[in-house]
Amino acid sequence: QSVLTQPPSASGTPGQRVTISCSGSSSNIGSNYVYWYQQLPGTAPKLLIYRNNQRPSGVPDRFSGSKSGTSASLAISGLRSEDEADYYCATWDDSLSGPYVFGAGTKVTVL
Amino acid sequence: EVQVVQSGAEVKKPGATVKISCKVSGYTFTDFFMHWVQQAPGKGLEWVGLVDPEDDETIYAEKFQGRVTITADTSTDTAYMELSSLRYGDTAVYYCARGALDYWGQGTLVTVSS
């Protein structure tokens, strides 16, 4: 069971906006940057957002990240069929369980 | 161009040890941590640990502590993950990933089977 809580699934029709939440605590999200990864079926994960809201080169601006207190969120605007994937939030954690932790992942389905 | 290339699939018996390699190119190996991440079949990502190639410092997740050893060879720009006392639950794809996990290897499937 992850220390970061994500909804197991989210969905939307093409063109819609989908938001994925990631809830943590003061020892992880509350005091560290949040990262988001996209994993397309059968492939390695890809960095989507770093340092809460920064996009690596090549990531479309349809993807945006935000953080407030001990929670973070990823928004996908103008949803496209190729966005159908698993999305994971992650951050450093100051507790003993594991310095770097992932959320359990959210499966995004494009209807 | 940054490249991260892992070794091939492995099949091991319960109780055995597996060692996976992760060779990088296109950047200075010692400038970034190297992480290892486990993904069991149909499951999410689980952080295993990391090595700082500059000074060989390691940090491991509590779950894997005592069974995992992560090392870095700066002469070949290669990181390694060794997992011992393998159990059926260790069957998974293992990924290495650089720094902020911005570049990932293709993954190595480790199957534990008798």
Side-chain angles (χ1 to χ4, degrees):
Chain A
Q1 188 161 345
S2 177
V3 298
L4 302 181
T5 302
Q6 295 181 237
S9 63
S11 63
T13 56
Q16 276 191 329
R17 176 183 170 94
V18 169
T19 301
I20 301 167
S21 61
C22 177
S23 177
S25 68
S26 58
S27 69
N28 43 65
I29 292 179
S31 51
N32 294 286
Y33 288 123
V34 177
Y35 299 78
W36 290 91
Y37 302 91
Q38 176 195 58
Q39 187 175 32
L40 298 170
T43 70
K46 168 190 168 184
L47 179 65
L48 208 58
I49 298 288
Y50 66 99
R51 293 190 178 184
N52 302 334
N53 55 19
Q54 302 299 302
R55 282 186 308 277
S57 173
V59 173
D61 60 7
R62 302 186 294 104
F63 295 92
S64 61
S66 64
K67 171 185 152 177
S68 178
T70 59
S71 293
S73 62
L74 173 72
I76 310 172
S77 59
L79 192 66
R80 304 174 68 159
S81 58
E82 58 260 40
D83 299 332
E84 189 158 291
D86 294 319
Y87 293 83
Y88 297 89
C89 60
T91 186
W92 293 94
D93 192 304
D94 303 328
S95 67
L96 292 175
S97 61
Y100 199 75
V101 289
F102 290 97
T106 298
K107 169 70 177 177
V108 169
T109 302
V110 181
L111 302 171
Chain B
E1 179 195 5
V2 174
Q3 292 195 334
V4 182
V5 180
Q6 298 183 222
S7 50
E10 303 264 9
V11 179
K12 295 290 184 181
K13 294 189 183 304
T17 296
V18 68
K19 190 171 185 177
I20 304 168
S21 68
C22 171
K23 183 168 176 57
V24 308
S25 59
Y27 74 95
T28 302
F29 185 46
T30 52
D31 282 353
F32 297 87
F33 293 164
M34 184 63 72
H35 298 253
W36 288 88
V37 176
Q38 178 197 62
Q39 186 168 38
K43 302 296 185 182
L45 305 174
E46 185 154 18
W47 187 79
V48 176
L50 65 79
V51 62
D52 181 350
E54 178 150 57
D55 58 11
D56 291 326
E57 286 286 317
T58 54
I59 306 174
Y60 302 125
E62 193 174 10
K63 173 182 175 178
F64 298 97
Q65 191 87 36
R67 288 204 302 135
V68 68
T69 303
I70 298 174
T71 56
D73 183 344
T74 55
S75 69
T76 60
D77 290 349
T78 302
Y80 298 90
M81 186 198 75
E82 184 175 86
L83 188 61
S84 63
S85 303
L86 287 170
R87 31 186 102 140
Y88 295 116
D90 294 323
T91 293
V93 174
Y94 292 83
Y95 295 100
C96 60
R98 178 190 90 156
L101 292 85
D102 54 354
Y103 287 91
W104 293 65
Q106 80 277 20
T108 297
L109 174 62
V110 174
T111 302
V112 182
S113 173
S114 56

